[in-house]
Each structure stands twice: as C-alpha cells, then as structure tokens.
Amino acid sequence: MKMILLVLSAMALTLSTVTPSVSAESACSGVDRTLAKERARALGPVIAKQLEAKRAEISQSLRFDGWSILYVSTGEADDAFVFYSGDPMRNKYVTLWGGVALENEEKEIRTWTLKNAPGIPRTLANCFAWHMTKER
C-alpha cells in the first residue's frame, strides 16, 4: 500500500512539473494591480457620471503604460471592467467588458481585448485575459 502511494505521489509531482501553470507574476509582470482606497473613492463619482449611474464603486485595477482597466460596480447594471486609455479622471472609457469567461477562453479574451480597446498594450491585454480566465 505504501509503495502504491509513493508511486502515485511521484506521478502527481511529475505531472505538476510538466504542465506548469502561469502565475499572476508572469502573466501580469509589470502590471500595477494595486488600488489605493483614496484613489478608488476619487474615481467613483467620475466613473459614475461617465456610466450615467448614481454611484460607482471601484474594487480592482490593472494599470500599465498609461492604460487602466477598472472593475466597477454601480448597483444599477452588471458589474463591468471599464477600459481607459489615459487617466480615467480626464478621459472617457474606451470599452466595457461584462460577464464571465471560462478557463479555456484566454486566447479569445485577449483577442476581444485587442480588438475592442485599440492601442492597448499587449502586456495589459495578456494580463486581463489571464485574470478573467485563471484568477477569477
């Protein structure tokens, strides 16, 4: 019985090393994923106005090379990721993503992002696609 467990453990270890999973550190390398509470509070009213909502709560942020993707809840519509080229305080959003993605749809999400957010850095598009399919 001990021999069977030892063999199974070795097989599991081998499988885990031949099929490495991409981590946030590599998929989102260089992407700023922090969001200070003060920044979220300041952005709320500005984004609410852009979305024609009474309020907006920002709970996640992905930023890279002048672009931002913010996860926004308004309480009036489905939560969405809102894409900005430039400072969200001064620029209107480029596009929105609402909904979910399956783990095997990373390529499709990246393609959608590059198409619907023209000019978005590939690094940020890759991070968003990974975030939607692997981290959520």
mmCIF file of all heavy atoms in Angstrom, residues 88-117:
data_model
loop_
_atom_site.group_PDB
_atom_site.id
_atom_site.type_symbol
_atom_site.label_atom_id
_atom_site.label_comp_id
_atom_site.label_asym_id
_atom_site.label_seq_id
_atom_site.Cartn_x
_atom_site.Cartn_y
_atom_site.Cartn_z
ATOM 1 N N PRO A 88 -8.379 57.990 -16.100
ATOM 2 C CA PRO A 88 -9.842 57.916 -16.025
ATOM 3 C C PRO A 88 -10.484 59.191 -15.471
ATOM 4 O O PRO A 88 -11.654 59.452 -15.740
ATOM 5 C CB PRO A 88 -10.094 56.732 -15.082
ATOM 6 C CG PRO A 88 -8.849 55.931 -15.127
ATOM 7 C CD PRO A 88 -7.736 56.901 -15.373
ATOM 8 N N MET A 89 -9.718 59.988 -14.736
ATOM 9 C CA MET A 89 -10.267 61.240 -14.196
ATOM 10 C C MET A 89 -10.490 62.265 -15.322
ATOM 11 O O MET A 89 -11.300 63.167 -15.172
ATOM 12 C CB MET A 89 -9.322 61.830 -13.150
ATOM 13 C CG MET A 89 -9.124 60.960 -11.922
ATOM 14 S SD MET A 89 -10.593 60.825 -10.904
ATOM 15 C CE MET A 89 -10.483 62.345 -9.984
ATOM 16 N N ARG A 90 -9.764 62.108 -16.425
ATOM 17 C CA ARG A 90 -9.842 63.091 -17.515
ATOM 18 C C ARG A 90 -10.316 62.517 -18.852
ATOM 19 O O ARG A 90 -10.636 63.277 -19.757
ATOM 20 C CB ARG A 90 -8.475 63.736 -17.730
ATOM 21 C CG ARG A 90 -8.032 64.616 -16.578
ATOM 22 C CD ARG A 90 -6.785 65.416 -16.905
ATOM 23 N NE ARG A 90 -5.571 64.629 -17.023
ATOM 24 C CZ ARG A 90 -4.810 64.277 -15.981
ATOM 25 N NH1 ARG A 90 -5.128 64.637 -14.763
ATOM 26 N NH2 ARG A 90 -3.720 63.568 -16.172
ATOM 27 N N ASN A 91 -10.323 61.204 -18.985
ATOM 28 C CA ASN A 91 -10.672 60.577 -20.256
ATOM 29 C C ASN A 91 -11.898 59.685 -20.116
ATOM 30 O O ASN A 91 -12.044 58.997 -19.109
ATOM 31 C CB ASN A 91 -9.502 59.729 -20.778
ATOM 32 C CG ASN A 91 -8.281 60.570 -21.062
ATOM 33 O OD1 ASN A 91 -8.328 61.475 -21.868
ATOM 34 N ND2 ASN A 91 -7.193 60.276 -20.373
ATOM 35 N N LYS A 92 -12.729 59.672 -21.142
ATOM 36 C CA LYS A 92 -13.869 58.766 -21.176
ATOM 37 C C LYS A 92 -13.369 57.347 -21.459
ATOM 38 O O LYS A 92 -12.351 57.164 -22.116
ATOM 39 C CB LYS A 92 -14.843 59.215 -22.257
ATOM 40 C CG LYS A 92 -16.127 58.411 -22.277
ATOM 41 C CD LYS A 92 -17.203 59.127 -23.054
ATOM 42 C CE LYS A 92 -18.462 58.336 -23.256
ATOM 43 N NZ LYS A 92 -18.904 57.460 -22.245
ATOM 44 N N TYR A 93 -14.105 56.389 -21.011
ATOM 45 C CA TYR A 93 -13.690 54.999 -21.210
ATOM 46 C C TYR A 93 -13.717 54.624 -22.686
ATOM 47 O O TYR A 93 -14.440 55.194 -23.489
ATOM 48 C CB TYR A 93 -14.552 54.047 -20.384
ATOM 49 C CG TYR A 93 -16.014 54.000 -20.764
ATOM 50 C CD1 TYR A 93 -16.467 53.083 -21.711
ATOM 51 C CD2 TYR A 93 -16.950 54.843 -20.174
ATOM 52 C CE1 TYR A 93 -17.807 53.019 -22.062
ATOM 53 C CE2 TYR A 93 -18.285 54.794 -20.518
ATOM 54 C CZ TYR A 93 -18.702 53.881 -21.460
ATOM 55 O OH TYR A 93 -20.027 53.824 -21.813
ATOM 56 N N VAL A 94 -12.897 53.622 -23.025
ATOM 57 C CA VAL A 94 -12.769 53.134 -24.392
ATOM 58 C C VAL A 94 -13.786 52.035 -24.669
ATOM 59 O O VAL A 94 -14.444 52.018 -25.704
ATOM 60 C CB VAL A 94 -11.326 52.607 -24.648
ATOM 61 C CG1 VAL A 94 -11.190 51.976 -26.022
ATOM 62 C CG2 VAL A 94 -10.316 53.727 -24.451
ATOM 63 N N THR A 95 -13.907 51.095 -23.725
ATOM 64 C CA THR A 95 -14.841 49.981 -23.885
ATOM 65 C C THR A 95 -15.137 49.381 -22.512
ATOM 66 O O THR A 95 -14.503 49.730 -21.519
ATOM 67 C CB THR A 95 -14.276 48.909 -24.856
ATOM 68 O OG1 THR A 95 -15.333 48.002 -25.215
ATOM 69 C CG2 THR A 95 -13.109 48.153 -24.273
ATOM 70 N N LEU A 96 -16.099 48.477 -22.490
ATOM 71 C CA LEU A 96 -16.511 47.770 -21.269
ATOM 72 C C LEU A 96 -16.511 46.275 -21.526
ATOM 73 O O LEU A 96 -16.815 45.832 -22.633
ATOM 74 C CB LEU A 96 -17.947 48.138 -20.886
ATOM 75 C CG LEU A 96 -18.290 49.575 -20.619
ATOM 76 C CD1 LEU A 96 -19.796 49.759 -20.682
ATOM 77 C CD2 LEU A 96 -17.796 49.958 -19.238
ATOM 78 N N TRP A 97 -16.225 45.512 -20.471
ATOM 79 C CA TRP A 97 -16.370 44.049 -20.528
ATOM 80 C C TRP A 97 -17.241 43.657 -19.341
ATOM 81 O O TRP A 97 -16.920 43.960 -18.194
ATOM 82 C CB TRP A 97 -15.025 43.346 -20.417
ATOM 83 C CG TRP A 97 -15.170 41.875 -20.132
ATOM 84 C CD1 TRP A 97 -15.326 41.291 -18.900
ATOM 85 C CD2 TRP A 97 -15.222 40.819 -21.072
ATOM 86 N NE1 TRP A 97 -15.467 39.933 -19.037
ATOM 87 C CE2 TRP A 97 -15.408 39.624 -20.361
ATOM 88 C CE3 TRP A 97 -15.123 40.772 -22.463
ATOM 89 C CZ2 TRP A 97 -15.495 38.392 -20.994
ATOM 90 C CZ3 TRP A 97 -15.218 39.537 -23.076
ATOM 91 C CH2 TRP A 97 -15.401 38.366 -22.349
ATOM 92 N N GLY A 98 -18.325 42.973 -19.617
ATOM 93 C CA GLY A 98 -19.175 42.425 -18.570
ATOM 94 C C GLY A 98 -19.316 40.938 -18.791
ATOM 95 O O GLY A 98 -19.195 40.447 -19.911
ATOM 96 N N GLY A 99 -19.540 40.210 -17.740
ATOM 97 C CA GLY A 99 -19.731 38.777 -17.887
ATOM 98 C C GLY A 99 -18.559 37.985 -17.358
ATOM 99 O O GLY A 99 -17.694 38.508 -16.672
ATOM 100 N N VAL A 100 -18.565 36.725 -17.710
ATOM 101 C CA VAL A 100 -17.548 35.795 -17.228
ATOM 102 C C VAL A 100 -16.844 35.142 -18.409
ATOM 103 O O VAL A 100 -17.282 35.269 -19.546
ATOM 104 C CB VAL A 100 -18.168 34.698 -16.327
ATOM 105 C CG1 VAL A 100 -18.781 35.300 -15.081
ATOM 106 C CG2 VAL A 100 -19.199 33.892 -17.085
ATOM 107 N N ALA A 101 -15.778 34.453 -18.110
ATOM 108 C CA ALA A 101 -15.043 33.711 -19.132
ATOM 109 C C ALA A 101 -14.644 32.359 -18.550
ATOM 110 O O ALA A 101 -14.364 32.254 -17.357
ATOM 111 C CB ALA A 101 -13.809 34.487 -19.563
ATOM 112 N N LEU A 102 -14.614 31.372 -19.386
ATOM 113 C CA LEU A 102 -14.178 30.045 -18.970
ATOM 114 C C LEU A 102 -12.650 29.971 -18.987
ATOM 115 O O LEU A 102 -11.991 30.729 -19.702
ATOM 116 C CB LEU A 102 -14.757 28.984 -19.899
ATOM 117 C CG LEU A 102 -16.281 28.914 -19.956
ATOM 118 C CD1 LEU A 102 -16.721 27.899 -21.003
ATOM 119 C CD2 LEU A 102 -16.864 28.582 -18.590
ATOM 120 N N GLU A 103 -12.106 29.054 -18.236
ATOM 121 C CA GLU A 103 -10.655 28.927 -18.112
ATOM 122 C C GLU A 103 -9.965 28.708 -19.462
ATOM 123 O O GLU A 103 -8.860 29.181 -19.693
ATOM 124 C CB GLU A 103 -10.313 27.784 -17.150
ATOM 125 C CG GLU A 103 -8.849 27.715 -16.833
ATOM 126 C CD GLU A 103 -8.526 26.709 -15.746
ATOM 127 O OE1 GLU A 103 -9.435 26.212 -15.077
ATOM 128 O OE2 GLU A 103 -7.331 26.430 -15.579
ATOM 129 N N ASN A 104 -10.640 28.036 -20.385
ATOM 130 C CA ASN A 104 -10.023 27.738 -21.685
ATOM 131 C C ASN A 104 -10.242 28.848 -22.723
ATOM 132 O O ASN A 104 -9.918 28.677 -23.895
ATOM 133 C CB ASN A 104 -10.531 26.407 -22.232
ATOM 134 C CG ASN A 104 -12.011 26.427 -22.541
ATOM 135 O OD1 ASN A 104 -12.736 27.312 -22.107
ATOM 136 N ND2 ASN A 104 -12.468 25.437 -23.270
ATOM 137 N N GLU A 105 -10.761 29.996 -22.321
ATOM 138 C CA GLU A 105 -11.057 31.084 -23.255
ATOM 139 C C GLU A 105 -10.046 32.237 -23.206
ATOM 140 O O GLU A 105 -10.322 33.325 -23.698
ATOM 141 C CB GLU A 105 -12.459 31.639 -22.990
ATOM 142 C CG GLU A 105 -13.561 30.670 -23.292
ATOM 143 C CD GLU A 105 -14.943 31.230 -23.021
ATOM 144 O OE1 GLU A 105 -15.149 31.853 -21.959
ATOM 145 O OE2 GLU A 105 -15.822 31.040 -23.885
ATOM 146 N N GLU A 106 -8.877 31.989 -22.649
ATOM 147 C CA GLU A 106 -7.882 33.059 -22.506
ATOM 148 C C GLU A 106 -7.539 33.692 -23.856
ATOM 149 O O GLU A 106 -7.487 34.925 -23.971
ATOM 150 C CB GLU A 106 -6.626 32.529 -21.823
ATOM 151 C CG GLU A 106 -5.623 33.606 -21.500
ATOM 152 C CD GLU A 106 -4.475 33.094 -20.641
ATOM 153 O OE1 GLU A 106 -4.506 31.938 -20.168
ATOM 154 O OE2 GLU A 106 -3.531 33.879 -20.448
ATOM 155 N N LYS A 107 -7.322 32.896 -24.882
ATOM 156 C CA LYS A 107 -6.970 33.433 -26.200
ATOM 157 C C LYS A 107 -8.101 34.308 -26.746
ATOM 158 O O LYS A 107 -7.855 35.392 -27.301
ATOM 159 C CB LYS A 107 -6.669 32.286 -27.173
ATOM 160 C CG LYS A 107 -6.278 32.757 -28.547
ATOM 161 C CD LYS A 107 -5.987 31.589 -29.473
ATOM 162 C CE LYS A 107 -5.683 32.092 -30.871
ATOM 163 N NZ LYS A 107 -5.555 30.996 -31.828
ATOM 164 N N GLU A 108 -9.336 33.864 -26.595
ATOM 165 C CA GLU A 108 -10.481 34.624 -27.086
ATOM 166 C C GLU A 108 -10.632 35.957 -26.352
ATOM 167 O O GLU A 108 -10.941 36.980 -26.969
ATOM 168 C CB GLU A 108 -11.776 33.801 -26.964
ATOM 169 C CG GLU A 108 -11.844 32.639 -27.931
ATOM 170 C CD GLU A 108 -11.130 31.376 -27.440
ATOM 171 O OE1 GLU A 108 -10.486 31.406 -26.367
ATOM 172 O OE2 GLU A 108 -11.203 30.355 -28.145
ATOM 173 N N ILE A 109 -10.385 35.946 -25.048
ATOM 174 C CA ILE A 109 -10.486 37.181 -24.262
ATOM 175 C C ILE A 109 -9.390 38.156 -24.687
ATOM 176 O O ILE A 109 -9.633 39.357 -24.844
ATOM 177 C CB ILE A 109 -10.395 36.898 -22.744
ATOM 178 C CG1 ILE A 109 -11.512 35.949 -22.303
ATOM 179 C CG2 ILE A 109 -10.431 38.193 -21.949
ATOM 180 C CD1 ILE A 109 -12.904 36.389 -22.632
ATOM 181 N N ARG A 110 -8.185 37.659 -24.890
ATOM 182 C CA ARG A 110 -7.091 38.517 -25.356
ATOM 183 C C ARG A 110 -7.426 39.126 -26.722
ATOM 184 O O ARG A 110 -7.250 40.320 -26.948
ATOM 185 C CB ARG A 110 -5.781 37.734 -25.430
ATOM 186 C CG ARG A 110 -4.597 38.568 -25.877
ATOM 187 C CD ARG A 110 -3.275 37.809 -25.869
ATOM 188 N NE ARG A 110 -3.350 36.357 -26.003
ATOM 189 C CZ ARG A 110 -3.349 35.484 -24.982
ATOM 190 N NH1 ARG A 110 -3.250 35.892 -23.739
ATOM 191 N NH2 ARG A 110 -3.427 34.187 -25.201
ATOM 192 N N THR A 111 -7.949 38.306 -27.637
ATOM 193 C CA THR A 111 -8.330 38.784 -28.963
ATOM 194 C C THR A 111 -9.417 39.851 -28.863
ATOM 195 O O THR A 111 -9.345 40.891 -29.524
ATOM 196 C CB THR A 111 -8.807 37.606 -29.850
ATOM 197 O OG1 THR A 111 -7.738 36.669 -29.969
ATOM 198 C CG2 THR A 111 -9.243 38.068 -31.221
ATOM 199 N N TRP A 112 -10.436 39.616 -28.034
ATOM 200 C CA TRP A 112 -11.505 40.594 -27.830
ATOM 201 C C TRP A 112 -10.927 41.904 -27.301
ATOM 202 O O TRP A 112 -11.283 42.991 -27.782
ATOM 203 C CB TRP A 112 -12.546 40.050 -26.842
ATOM 204 C CG TRP A 112 -13.656 41.025 -26.598
ATOM 205 C CD1 TRP A 112 -14.859 41.073 -27.237
ATOM 206 C CD2 TRP A 112 -13.658 42.120 -25.662
ATOM 207 N NE1 TRP A 112 -15.593 42.138 -26.761
ATOM 208 C CE2 TRP A 112 -14.878 42.781 -25.798
ATOM 209 C CE3 TRP A 112 -12.738 42.596 -24.732
ATOM 210 C CZ2 TRP A 112 -15.207 43.905 -25.033
ATOM 211 C CZ3 TRP A 112 -13.066 43.710 -23.968
ATOM 212 C CH2 TRP A 112 -14.283 44.354 -24.114
ATOM 213 N N THR A 113 -10.030 41.802 -26.338
ATOM 214 C CA THR A 113 -9.442 42.995 -25.719
ATOM 215 C C THR A 113 -8.658 43.811 -26.742
ATOM 216 O O THR A 113 -8.823 45.035 -26.831
ATOM 217 C CB THR A 113 -8.529 42.595 -24.539
ATOM 218 O OG1 THR A 113 -9.302 41.832 -23.604
ATOM 219 C CG2 THR A 113 -7.951 43.799 -23.847
ATOM 220 N N LEU A 114 -7.815 43.163 -27.515
ATOM 221 C CA LEU A 114 -7.013 43.869 -28.509
ATOM 222 C C LEU A 114 -7.891 44.517 -29.593
ATOM 223 O O LEU A 114 -7.578 45.602 -30.091
ATOM 224 C CB LEU A 114 -5.990 42.920 -29.140
ATOM 225 C CG LEU A 114 -4.893 42.440 -28.191
ATOM 226 C CD1 LEU A 114 -4.116 41.274 -28.795
ATOM 227 C CD2 LEU A 114 -3.958 43.578 -27.802
ATOM 228 N N LYS A 115 -8.999 43.879 -29.923
ATOM 229 C CA LYS A 115 -9.909 44.418 -30.937
ATOM 230 C C LYS A 115 -10.729 45.587 -30.395
ATOM 231 O O LYS A 115 -10.910 46.598 -31.074
ATOM 232 C CB LYS A 115 -10.850 43.315 -31.428
ATOM 233 C CG LYS A 115 -11.867 43.794 -32.441
ATOM 234 C CD LYS A 115 -12.804 42.690 -32.839
ATOM 235 C CE LYS A 115 -13.876 43.239 -33.767
ATOM 236 N NZ LYS A 115 -14.949 42.275 -33.982
ATOM 237 N N ASN A 116 -11.248 45.464 -29.190
ATOM 238 C CA ASN A 116 -12.191 46.446 -28.652
ATOM 239 C C ASN A 116 -11.544 47.578 -27.871
ATOM 240 O O ASN A 116 -12.220 48.555 -27.538
ATOM 241 C CB ASN A 116 -13.240 45.734 -27.795
ATOM 242 C CG ASN A 116 -14.165 44.912 -28.646
ATOM 243 O OD1 ASN A 116 -15.066 45.432 -29.277
ATOM 244 N ND2 ASN A 116 -13.907 43.605 -28.705
ATOM 245 N N ALA A 117 -10.274 47.446 -27.559
ATOM 246 C CA ALA A 117 -9.523 48.518 -26.896
ATOM 247 C C ALA A 117 -8.306 48.828 -27.767
ATOM 248 O O ALA A 117 -7.172 48.492 -27.415
ATOM 249 C CB ALA A 117 -9.112 48.097 -25.492
#
